[in-house]
Amino acid sequence: MRAYEFTTEITDGNIRIPIDYLNNLNRGRNVKVIILTEDETLPKQKSDEKEKLSDYLLMPEIEDNEDLFIRDKDTGREINL
């Protein structure tokens, strides 16, 4: 199976295949078509804005001044030499 990826617009229910790809396709054979579109429900991200892992997790981003992982006592092992 071969895969070709390109972007195009749907015009009157038709999808235009670029000529470079069309020449590689055997006419009269069945093809599988998968249509992917941009998710319009997600806000558009500014080009200078980077994605953060916390955007996808249930836990919000940790602020620099938060003491989430501070231990109140040392629970490490003692080493006697």
Side-chain angles (χ1 to χ4, degrees):
M1 180 177 279
R2 289 186 183 162
Y4 301 96
E5 182 177 337
F6 56 90
T7 57
T8 188
E9 292 181 5
I10 299 174
T11 306
D12 296 327
N14 297 312
I15 297 173
R16 187 181 152 283
I17 300 173
I19 194 73
D20 296 339
Y21 298 131
L22 196 56
N23 290 334
N24 293 329
L25 299 175
N26 294 329
R27 298 188 190 264
R29 292 192 66 190
N30 289 334
V31 296
K32 180 187 280 189
V33 178
I34 299 172
I35 299 175
L36 303 172
T37 62
E38 294 292 329
D39 191 353
E40 296 172 1
T41 60
L42 295 176
K44 298 261 182 186
Q45 190 175 33
K46 296 178 184 174
S47 60
D48 60 337
E49 200 174 290
K50 294 184 179 179
E51 290 185 21
K52 295 180 274 187
L53 182 59
S54 60
D55 293 341
Y56 300 99
L57 301 175
L58 295 176
M59 186 173 159
E61 185 175 1
I62 297 172
E63 298 294 328
D64 290 336
N65 59 356
E66 286 189 59
D67 297 333
L68 187 62
F69 297 107
I70 291 181
R71 294 189 245 174
D72 57 350
K73 61 181 179 178
D74 185 13
T75 57
R77 296 183 181 141
E78 293 182 17
I79 298 175
N80 294 325
L81 298 176

